[in-house]
Amino acid sequence: SDWSQTITRPAIVTAYSSRAAQRLDQLLPQARNHLILAAISQKVADAAGANWGAIGVAAKPDDASLLALAENMCHKAND
């Protein structure tokens, strides 16, 4: 399916690996300025490319930190 048509509403997307981030970059080459990326590390954030609405990096490279970041970004997006 065409992700650019599927993900049309604001959302937070998480990326756990550089490979996953690169895949998101391929699936959403341009239509992503309404999406927020929460990455598990700076390396993963860098692999995701540019033109995201916002990019955040987890304080530590673990699930709890990534989910805390996503929750925090969700609250900021709704303020």
Side-chain angles (χ1 to χ4, degrees):
S1 74
D2 183 2
W3 270 46
S4 62
Q5 296 299 316
T6 303
I7 301 180
T8 58
R9 299 176 128 192
I12 295 177
V13 180
T14 59
Y16 283 84
S17 70
S18 294
R19 183 175 175 198
Q22 289 169 343
R23 184 67 178 137
L24 288 170
D25 187 36
Q26 293 169 349
L27 290 170
L28 302 164
Q30 297 179 15
R32 61 180 176 214
N33 62 344
H34 63 290
L35 299 173
I36 296 170
L37 177 72
I40 200 159
S41 69
Q42 186 62 54
K43 181 179 177 181
V44 172
D46 292 344
N51 300 321
W52 295 90
I55 297 177
V57 177
K60 292 188 271 184
D62 59 35
D63 288 347
S65 295
L66 181 60
L67 294 175
L69 170 67
E71 180 182 21
N72 186 292
M73 295 175 90
C74 182
H75 289 294
K76 285 183 179 179
N78 288 324
D79 286 344

